[in-house]
Amino acid sequence: MCWRMISYGWKGPFWVWESETEEEKARATKDIINYNDNCGEEESHLNTAWRASEEWKELRIRELSNAREARILATITGIKAKTTQSWRDSWCYVTCLAQPLLWPAC
């Protein structure tokens, strides 16, 4: 997997990492379960603040519109859009890349 952070007029670092081993996948699964068991109050507070923002409201409207268009297109063509990212990929992204590398750079 690789990741590059790009913004208007600026390019951040570029990272590449190998596929996870079975041991790393098992450890990530345990970490996800532990995190989910212990983050309820903080997550609730952050989600409440985020959902009150205008940015979230605009994003939600745009996402609902895109989903509606995708459903209409699937009805017309008979082809549903596929996604390739899994929750394990997301966890790897957040713990290996976003928190330690991207967020400090931003």
Side-chain angles (χ1 to χ4, degrees):
M1 181 179 281
C2 62
W3 191 263
R4 175 82 188 229
M5 187 170 42
I6 301 171
S7 182
Y8 180 76
W10 177 81
K11 293 179 184 173
F14 183 76
W15 291 276
V16 176
W17 65 92
E18 299 297 322
S19 297
E20 295 173 307
T21 64
E22 290 303 317
E23 182 180 294
E24 290 170 327
K25 289 178 184 179
R27 187 176 62 238
T29 299
K30 287 179 185 178
D31 288 346
I32 290 167
I33 291 168
N34 184 44
Y35 178 80
N36 286 336
D37 288 345
N38 295 310
C39 70
E41 187 176 322
E42 178 185 6
E43 182 179 357
S44 177
H45 172 72
L46 292 171
N47 282 335
T48 299
W50 168 237
R51 287 188 178 119
S53 72
E54 287 301 315
E55 183 181 8
W56 183 86
K57 292 172 187 172
E58 291 171 9
L59 179 61
R60 183 70 176 145
I61 290 168
R62 190 171 36 217
E63 286 177 342
L64 290 172
S65 175
N66 290 343
R68 190 171 26 260
E69 290 174 11
R71 281 193 307 274
I72 291 169
L73 187 60
T75 301
I76 294 169
T77 64
I79 302 171
K80 292 184 179 181
K82 295 181 181 180
T83 59
T84 59
Q85 188 174 23
S86 72
W87 62 270
R88 285 191 178 96
D89 293 334
S90 299
W91 180 255
C92 184
Y93 167 78
V94 169
T95 59
C96 298
L97 185 69
Q99 286 177 338
L101 301 172
L102 295 179
W103 296 347
C106 291

